[in-house]
């Protein structure tokens, strides 16, 4: 059995650095070589000389970062192997949003699996999560707490049906907004979805990438004043925050974070991240020799697997 290199991936100011391939994973400061797991802004940033990612991630980044040169993108489909330095890589679906990828890295007989953000729940607006076995599971730990268990999203979205009012629904514009639109279409079929102008281009970009089933309309202020029917106005976070005095609507924000439910008229716990039980399930499926945690607190995981699997937070070099 080959030895795991404890410094294979280390945390630096720019992002997570692999010295054996001389590249960064999800860097937030400009670097020469970036491997990007998905297009959310806390993982994907502009200014890199070279960006390795999936085609949808490239499309979203090109839309958001129009000054990023198109020739800087190296696009790879899922399972398509490529090499950076001495490291062999390939992407597998992460189930987080359209184009999201887990990064599989192989070096000297050892496989390292960087999950990025991922989820196990069903979502027809993105590719479903896939699993490979790995020696080292490098997992996000955003909600790695036994006290955090995400409810069923179908049950959550169904709560809207019990509210005979217009809904002002706040959500992240990329990924979450499209998933919510699909959930509403399927489980709240009597509700029309009116989409804020800041979200519309991303819905259309999703359609151009094959997610064409979403039913929605551009926001029409007159429609939100009608009492004949009750609609859902889907808005990005900044707009939602600015409408804190909105009248004749129920204010709802879709998130797994408890603090984002405060001061709203109804809780809506719909998350695109794994919860505690999901992580434990995933560890069994990946069957790693070690677990390294990123993006959160790995304390509970370290305590849970004590004496069975080594768990450590991915720190700097």
């Amino acid at each position: 059995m080959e030895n795991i290199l404890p410094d294979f991936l280390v945390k630096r100011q720019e992002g997570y650095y692999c010295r054996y391939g001389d590249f960064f994973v999800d860097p937030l400061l400009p670097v020469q070589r970036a491997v990007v797991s998905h297009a959310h802004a806390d993982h994907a940033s502009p200014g890199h000389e070279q960006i390795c990612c999936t085609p949808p991630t490239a499309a979203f980044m090109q839309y958001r970062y129009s000054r990023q040169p198109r020739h800087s993108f190296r696009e790879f489909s899922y399972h398509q192997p490529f090499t950076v330095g001495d490291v062999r890589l390939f992407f597998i679906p992460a189930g987080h949003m359209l184009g999201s990828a887990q990064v599989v890295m192989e070096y000297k007989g050892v496989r390292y699996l960087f999950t990025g953000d991922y989820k196990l729940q069903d979502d027809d607006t993105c590719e479903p999560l896939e699993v490979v076995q790995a020696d080292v599971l490098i997992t996000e730990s955003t909600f790695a707490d036994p006290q955090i268990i995400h409810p069923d999203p179908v049950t959550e979205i169904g709560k809207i049906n019990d509210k005979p009012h217009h809904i002002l629904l706040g959500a992240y514009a990329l990924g979450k907004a499209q998933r919510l639109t699909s959930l509403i279409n399927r489980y709240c079929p009597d509700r029309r979805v009116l989409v804020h102008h800041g979200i519309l281009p991303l819905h259309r970009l999703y359609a151009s990438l094959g997610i064409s089933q979403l039913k929605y309309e551009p926001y029409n202020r007159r429609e939100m004043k009608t009492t004949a029917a009750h609609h859902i106005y889907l808005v990005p976070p900044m707009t939602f925050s600015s409408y804190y005095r909105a009248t004749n609507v129920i204010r709802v924000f879709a998130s797994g974070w408890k603090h984002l439910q405060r001061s709203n008229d109804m809780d809506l716990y719909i998350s695109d991240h794994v919860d505690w039980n999901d992580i434990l399930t995933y560890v069994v499926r990946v069957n790693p020799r070690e677990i390294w945690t990123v993006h959160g607190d790995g304390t509970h995981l370290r305590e849970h697997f004590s004496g069975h699997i080594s768990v450590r937070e991915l720190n700097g070099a």
Side-chain angles (χ1 to χ4, degrees):
M1 186 177 295
E2 300 296 333
N3 292 329
I4 293 170
L5 298 172
D7 65 346
F8 178 79
L9 200 67
V10 297
K11 187 177 181 180
R12 290 191 176 178
Q13 182 181 7
E14 299 91 337
Y16 296 103
Y17 179 64
C18 177
R19 68 185 65 197
Y20 301 97
D22 190 22
F23 62 85
F24 286 85
V25 179
D26 289 353
L28 296 183
L29 297 177
V31 300
Q32 184 174 0
R33 298 186 188 90
V35 177
V36 176
S37 65
H38 66 286
H40 284 150
D42 57 338
H43 294 259
S45 62
H48 313 302
E49 291 293 320
Q50 183 184 95
I51 299 171
C52 300
C53 62
T54 64
T57 295
F60 296 131
M61 291 185 69
Q62 287 167 11
Y63 168 75
R64 284 190 154 176
Y65 309 127
S66 58
R67 294 185 179 181
Q68 180 71 35
R70 289 184 177 269
H71 65 77
S72 65
F73 289 93
R74 294 180 64 196
E75 300 178 26
F76 299 95
S77 301
Y78 295 122
H79 309 290
Q80 179 183 354
F82 60 101
T83 301
V84 183
D86 294 326
V87 179
R88 180 181 183 270
L89 303 93
F90 61 93
F91 296 132
I92 60 172
H96 178 63
M97 61 164 288
L98 187 62
S100 63
Q102 301 174 79
V103 183
V104 183
M105 299 168 283
E106 299 173 337
Y107 180 72
K108 291 191 174 180
V110 178
R111 176 177 283 179
Y112 305 82
L113 173 61
F114 183 93
T115 65
D117 292 344
Y118 66 115
K119 75 172 181 285
L120 276 61
Q121 292 179 346
D122 291 337
D123 181 351
D124 67 355
T125 64
C126 70
E127 309 85 354
L129 177 94
E130 291 186 15
V131 185
V132 297
Q133 291 193 334
D135 298 287
V136 179
L137 173 61
I138 308 169
T139 178
E140 65 144 313
S141 51
T142 307
F143 294 111
D145 184 332
Q147 301 300 314
I148 299 177
I149 305 298
H150 298 321
D152 174 42
V154 174
T155 302
E156 284 294 286
I157 203 70
K159 295 186 322 189
I160 289 176
N161 290 322
D162 300 328
K163 303 296 181 181
H165 304 280
H166 292 309
I167 304 287
L168 179 69
L169 178 55
Y172 297 116
L174 178 59
K176 180 64 68 64
Q178 293 74 40
R179 184 188 184 196
L180 288 172
T181 300
S182 178
L183 285 169
I184 294 165
N185 292 162
R186 294 170 66 187
Y187 301 107
C188 310
D190 295 333
R191 297 294 184 111
R192 289 165 61 189
V193 180
L194 309 180
V195 178
H196 185 271
H197 65 83
I199 297 176
L200 270 174
L202 295 170
H203 271 50
R204 291 166 179 161
L205 191 48
Y206 258 62
S208 73
L209 294 168
I211 307 301
S212 57
Q213 73 271 24
L214 304 182
K215 298 177 182 178
Y216 60 91
E217 305 165 42
Y219 170 65
N220 182 322
R221 187 173 183 179
R222 182 175 56 198
E223 293 290 343
M224 288 296 289
K225 289 186 175 183
T226 182
T227 58
H230 301 114
H231 309 315
I232 297 173
Y233 181 21
L234 187 59
V235 302
M238 289 290 288
T239 303
F240 182 81
S241 297
S242 69
Y243 281 13
Y244 67 96
R245 290 183 177 176
T247 58
N248 301 317
V249 298
I250 291 179
R251 298 177 74 257
V252 183
F253 195 90
S255 174
W257 289 107
K258 188 173 183 178
H259 71 272
L260 293 179
Q261 306 297 340
R262 296 172 187 160
S263 303
N264 297 335
D265 299 314
M266 184 182 82
D267 293 342
L268 193 65
Y269 284 99
I270 296 180
S271 175
D272 291 323
H273 294 264
V274 284
D275 65 10
W276 175 255
N277 287 336
D278 293 333
I279 296 175
L280 298 188
T281 297
Y282 203 58
V283 169
V284 171
R285 296 172 70 181
V286 174
N287 191 28
R289 290 191 276 154
E290 293 186 15
I291 299 171
W292 301 350
T293 64
V294 295
H295 303 304
D297 184 356
T299 301
H300 294 294
L301 286 173
R302 186 167 60 252
E303 294 172 350
H304 180 84
F305 288 108
S306 177
H308 300 281
I309 305 175
S310 170
V311 180
R312 69 178 179 88
E313 183 179 352
L314 196 60
N315 293 313

